[in-house]
Amino acid sequence: MGNESGDGRIMEEIGGLLVHAKQAQAALDKGLAAQAQQAEAIARLIIHAELVLKQLRAEAEQIGARAQQAGTEAVRDQVRESLSANVGKAAGIAFAPLVNGFTQQIEDARRAASNRSRRAGGEIF
């Protein structure tokens, strides 16, 4: 009988170990499933981050292009203003004698008209 009780105890221990092994396996499977879900979530986050990064790059390129265009337009406006001012000065310098000549001719014409008016006032036609 000693052998039977020893065998029974061993069988109980084996049964307990099997139950414990099944519980450990279930916990391990649950942990692996949770890790798989986390890995999938991380993969989705990486894909999302790549898309966001791609959008940010595209927006940065657009901002850079707009900034370059704005800079170009600002420079163009500055050049245009500078050229306009310089052309205005140059035109003023170039046409000053001509304008002075016209001004003198207009003044001469006024004097002549004034003189004629005075003479006509004194003369009878």
Side-chain angles (χ1 to χ4, degrees):
M1 271 218 114
N3 214 6
E4 286 179 19
S5 74
D7 286 341
R9 209 191 267 156
I10 292 174
M11 290 304 283
E12 272 183 41
E13 286 181 22
I14 290 174
L17 289 173
L18 284 175
V19 168
H20 183 67
K22 286 180 183 179
Q23 290 173 344
Q25 184 64 47
L28 181 62
D29 290 344
K30 188 176 178 180
L32 290 173
Q35 282 183 342
Q37 287 176 343
Q38 289 176 350
E40 287 176 22
I42 290 170
R44 285 192 301 271
L45 285 173
I46 290 171
I47 290 170
H48 181 71
E50 287 175 343
L51 291 173
V52 168
L53 184 60
K54 187 176 182 180
Q55 287 176 329
L56 288 174
R57 283 184 184 146
E59 289 176 13
E61 287 176 9
Q62 289 176 354
I63 289 170
R66 281 188 236 132
Q68 183 178 7
Q69 182 179 9
T72 301
E73 289 174 3
V75 168
R76 188 179 317 132
D77 290 344
Q78 288 175 351
V79 168
R80 202 176 286 144
E81 288 175 18
S82 177
L83 283 175
S84 178
N86 289 335
V87 167
K89 287 177 187 175
I93 292 168
F95 291 114
L98 185 61
V99 169
N100 289 339
F102 283 142
T103 302
Q104 187 61 46
Q105 288 178 358
I106 291 169
E107 194 58 40
D108 291 346
R110 280 187 193 155
R111 270 192 237 117
S114 176
N115 289 338
R116 281 190 203 133
S117 291
R118 273 187 267 143
R119 275 189 245 144
E123 294 178 13
I124 302 175
F125 285 94

